[in-house]
Amino acid sequence: MLSYVLRVIPYLRPYWRLGLSSVWLTIGAAAFGLLSPWPLQILVDNVIGQAPLPAAIAGVLGDPGSHRFRLLALAVMAGLLIAVAGAGIHVVNSYVNTKPEQRIIADFRGDLFRHTERLSVAYRDQVSTARLMYGINFEAAAAGNLVLSIQPLAQAALTLVGMVWIAFTIDSALAWLSIAVVPLLYWSIRYY
């Protein structure tokens, strides 16, 4: 698969600005994915439970941190804002990814069409016209899909690394225990 990606990368070069924007939006989407559980933690630990607010949050909130109803409202609003911002980043990321994908497909189709025009008449007599049209119209879409299939994988990897880092920050023994199960899960998924 890597060889196919390397063959399609030249089609992405003219759209490097959109590709760079996609990288930054991917990092932002992963960051907002990691931020989303924190308002819930404040609700459970500080509004429902009796735990005091962490010093960094108490310094920022000041007086609302001491009143449970205000803290509840602020945590719910923070959760809503994080969800809206994450969805907004997702929409912008989809737009930014769709433009180069469609342009790569158009460029690849143009190259395939020019290559088809250069084919010999003897070759075109052996291969049906429908097969050539199918290759130009439908198989060219795979070039754009191939390049942009890397973005969701990168976002998932960034989110996974962030979750593991957060888990080790909270409790390293529990994090090692949760990671120890991964080989068994991988084996069972592969086996079944």
Side-chain angles (χ1 to χ4, degrees), residues 7 14 16 19 27 32 35 38-39 44-45 51 65 76 79 110 115 125 131 134 139 144 146 163 169 177-178 187-188:
R7 289 176 69 184
W16 66 271
I27 293 169
F32 274 98
L35 277 178
W38 284 356
V44 171
D45 291 348
V76 169
H115 177 73
D125 286 342
R131 172 68 187 110
Y134 178 82
E139 291 179 1
L146 183 64
M163 288 189 317
T169 303
L177 184 63
S178 64
W187 175 81
S188 65

Side-chain angles (χ1 to χ4, degrees), residues 1-172:
M1 180 173 151
L2 183 62
S3 63
Y4 295 129
V5 171
L6 294 176
R7 289 176 69 184
V8 176
I9 289 294
Y11 289 98
L12 185 62
R13 279 194 191 118
Y15 315 111
W16 66 271
R17 288 186 177 119
L18 290 171
L20 187 63
S21 299
S22 177
V23 167
W24 285 111
L25 288 168
T26 299
I27 293 169
F32 274 98
L34 292 172
L35 277 178
S36 62
W38 284 356
L40 183 62
Q41 184 228 353
I42 291 173
L43 284 175
V44 171
D45 291 348
N46 306 112
V47 175
I48 296 172
Q50 299 298 326
L53 280 172
I57 297 175
V60 171
L61 293 180
D63 185 53
S66 62
H67 301 296
R68 295 183 100 136
F69 182 73
R70 289 184 186 168
L71 186 60
L72 171 69
L74 285 173
V76 169
M77 289 303 294
L80 179 66
L81 289 174
I82 288 171
V84 168
I89 286 176
H90 178 71
V91 168
V92 172
N93 197 11
S94 295
Y95 174 75
V96 166
N97 286 339
T98 301
K99 284 182 77 171
E101 178 184 19
Q102 294 303 314
R103 290 177 180 174
I104 287 170
I105 291 171
D107 293 346
F108 196 68
R109 280 183 181 152
D111 287 349
L112 284 175
F113 183 75
R114 283 187 286 283
H115 177 73
T116 305
E117 286 179 327
R118 289 190 308 264
L119 292 173
S120 67
V121 176
Y123 179 79
R124 281 189 253 158
D125 286 342
Q126 291 175 354
V127 177
S128 70
T129 306
R131 172 68 187 110
L132 293 173
M133 289 174 53
Y134 178 82
I136 292 171
N137 287 328
F138 297 108
E139 291 179 1
N145 294 337
L146 183 64
V147 170
L148 293 176
S149 66
I150 297 169
Q151 188 267 338
L153 293 173
Q155 182 177 343
L158 284 172
T159 304
L160 180 66
V161 167
M163 288 189 317
V164 168
W165 178 73
I166 290 170
F168 272 102
T169 303
I170 294 171
D171 186 2
S172 61

